[in-house]
Amino acid sequence: EDHEAFRQTVRTFLSKEVEPHYEQWEKDGITSRDAWLAAGRQGLLGLAVPEEYGGGGTEDFRYAVVLAEEFTRAGAAGLAVGLHNDVIGPYLTSLATEEQKRRWLPGFCSGEKISAIAMTEPGAGSDLQGIRTTAEDKGDHWVLNGSKTFISNGILADLVIVVAKTTPEGGAKGLSLLVVERGMEGFERGRNLDKIGQKAQDTAELFFNDVKVPKENLLGELNGAFVHLMTNLAQERMTIAVSAIAAAEHVLEFTTEYVKEREAFGRPLARLQHIRFEIAEMATECAVTRSFLDRCIEDHTKGELDAVHASMAKWWATELQKRVADRCLQLHGGYGYM
C-alpha cells in the first residue's frame, strides 16, 4: 500500500511539473532546473539518503522501482532522476566522509545540486584501463587534466564524480574518484550533444584544464575507483531493466487499445487472428519478464542480488523493449511513423 500511495504521488508530480513542459524540453535539449527543485520539494530525490541529510531515509529499492516505472510511462527520461538517485546516490552515501555528506547531500536531496558521473572518454569509451584523464598530487590539492564525453546531466550538473588516473602506472587499479564542483576554474562544458532520442536529457562533453580539486574532494579510497565502480553495478543494471519492462508494458498497453479502435476491412484490427496472436505473444513475453524482474527486485531489496542475475535482467528486458516497440510500431501501420 505504501508503494502504491507513492506511485500516486509520482503521477501527480509528473502531471503537474513535467508533462506540461516536456515537449519544450525536448526542443531545448535540456530540462528545467525548476523541475529538479520541484522533485526535491516533493521528496523524490535522495530516497535512500538518510533523513539527517534531507533524504527519504529508506533503503527499500521498490520505491526507486515505482519512480522508474512512472517516469518511463510518462516518457520523461530527460529528467534523469533515476541516474541521480540510483546510480550516483550510492557513491555519495557509501563512500563520502561525514564532512562530504554534510556538504553535498542536502543539496543533492533538494535538487539544488544536480549530479553526474564522468567515466566515458572520447578515445577510451567505457574501458577503464584506457582512461587518460589524470590527477596529479600537488600536496593539498589535485591538478586534473583531461576530457569526458557522453556525460548524462553534463550541462546541468553541479557535482561531477570524475574517474581519473592518480597513479599513472597502476592501470585500472590506479584510478580514483574526484568530485568536481560547478565553478571550479578550468572546468568547462562543451556541446550539449544532439542524439536520436531522449533529447531532453542533456548529454555533454566535459573538459578539465588544470582544475585544482581540493584533497577533501577525493571520494572513497585513493586508487580505489575500480572497486567502487564495480560495487554498485547490480543496482544500476536493475534500474535500466525496470525502465525497459515498464516501457514494453506501456507500449503494449496503448497498442492494444489502438487495435481495438482502429478499423480495417470493415472491422476492428483486434478481430483479425494474426493481430490477436501478435498481442498475445507480446503479453506473454512481458508477463514472463515481469515475473523474473520481480524476483530480482525482491533479491536486491534483501541485498542478495548477484551480478549474474542483474546482468540477465538488464539484457533480457532491454532486448524485449526493442522487440515490443518494433512489433507495436508495425501494428500501427503508417501511423507508427507519425
Side-chain angles (χ1 to χ4, degrees):
E1 290 181 2
D2 291 341
H3 298 124
E4 292 310 314
F6 180 64
R7 188 183 302 280
Q8 292 307 313
T9 297
V10 178
R11 287 185 176 178
T12 300
F13 168 79
L14 287 165
S15 67
K16 289 183 177 180
E17 304 288 352
V18 176
E19 290 167 3
H21 312 291
Y22 204 77
E23 188 175 344
Q24 187 61 49
W25 294 347
E26 286 277 284
K27 292 176 182 175
D28 295 342
I30 196 166
T31 60
S32 166
R33 293 189 74 94
D34 290 340
W36 282 91
L37 294 171
R41 289 193 299 272
Q42 194 63 60
L44 304 184
L45 303 180
L47 296 175
V49 172
E51 292 181 23
E52 63 185 293
Y53 305 111
T58 177
E59 294 186 0
D60 186 346
F61 182 67
R62 290 171 293 184
Y63 286 99
V65 169
V66 169
L67 203 60
E69 288 173 345
E70 293 307 314
F71 269 70
T72 298
R73 286 179 63 86
L79 192 65
V81 170
L83 169 71
H84 186 77
N85 283 345
D86 305 329
V87 177
I88 296 160
Y91 288 105
L92 298 178
T93 55
S94 65
L95 299 177
T97 64
E98 182 61 29
E99 183 275 331
Q100 289 173 334
K101 288 177 181 178
R102 297 202 178 280
R103 186 152 45 109
W104 294 326
L105 286 177
F108 179 92
C109 296
S110 69
E112 294 171 278
K113 292 187 182 296
I114 300 169
S115 62
I117 186 164
M119 177 170 60
T120 307
E121 295 189 359
S126 297
D127 173 19
L128 293 178
Q129 296 196 60
I131 283 178
R132 295 182 179 179
T133 297
T134 61
E136 190 177 352
D137 191 340
K138 293 294 186 179
D140 65 341
H141 66 273
W142 302 94
V143 174
L144 183 68
N145 282 285
S147 64
K148 303 287 183 177
T149 193
F150 309 138
I151 307 306
S152 300
N153 283 355
I155 298 293
L156 286 174
D158 304 289
L159 299 174
V160 183
I161 299 175
V162 179
V163 184
K165 190 177 292 187
T166 43
T167 301
E169 64 278 7
K173 294 182 179 179
L175 301 171
S176 300
L177 303 178
L178 299 177
V179 178
V180 174
E181 300 180 60
R182 177 180 290 277
M184 284 186 172
E185 189 175 351
F187 171 34
E188 299 175 1
R189 302 163 206 259
R191 301 179 292 139
N192 186 357
L193 302 171
D194 189 21
K195 310 184 296 292
I196 63 172
Q198 296 191 1
K199 290 182 177 291
Q201 220 278 274
D202 58 304
T203 306
E205 300 170 314
L206 304 180
F207 301 98
F208 309 99
N209 303 304
D210 291 330
V211 180
K212 290 183 178 180
V213 181
K215 280 293 179 70
E216 295 78 22
N217 281 27
L218 173 69
L219 187 63
E221 298 293 324
L222 179 63
N223 297 326
F226 184 79
V227 172
H228 297 329
L229 291 167
M230 296 301 109
T231 301
N232 195 42
L233 277 178
Q235 179 161 299
E236 293 178 26
R237 288 166 175 151
M238 281 306 301
T239 300
I240 292 171
V242 167
S243 295
I245 184 59
E249 289 170 340
H250 185 49
V251 169
L252 177 60
E253 181 183 311
F254 67 68
T255 301
T256 302
E257 291 304 310
Y258 175 79
V259 298
K260 288 178 180 177
E261 297 168 3
R262 173 71 171 164
E263 292 197 358
F265 309 108
R267 54 180 174 167
L269 286 175
R271 298 285 298 277
L272 300 174
Q273 191 180 50
H274 173 75
I275 302 297
R276 295 164 75 92
F277 284 168
E278 289 276 331
I279 296 292
E281 288 172 8
M282 288 187 285
T284 303
E285 286 190 297
C286 284
V288 171
T289 302
R290 171 60 73 176
S291 180
F292 176 60
L293 284 187
D294 280 348
R295 178 194 145 187
C296 290
I297 291 166
E298 190 175 327
D299 287 348
H300 184 56
T301 301
K302 294 186 292 187
E304 298 173 0
L305 181 65
D306 60 24
V308 172
H309 288 86
S311 298
M312 287 178 176
K314 177 186 173 185
W315 174 75
W316 180 263
T318 52
E319 287 294 313
L320 175 65
Q321 179 186 4
K322 290 190 293 182
R323 288 199 305 276
V324 170
D326 181 61
R327 292 177 80 173
C328 287
L329 180 79
Q330 308 305 328
L331 295 184
H332 279 77
Y335 286 107
Y337 290 89
M338 303 302 291

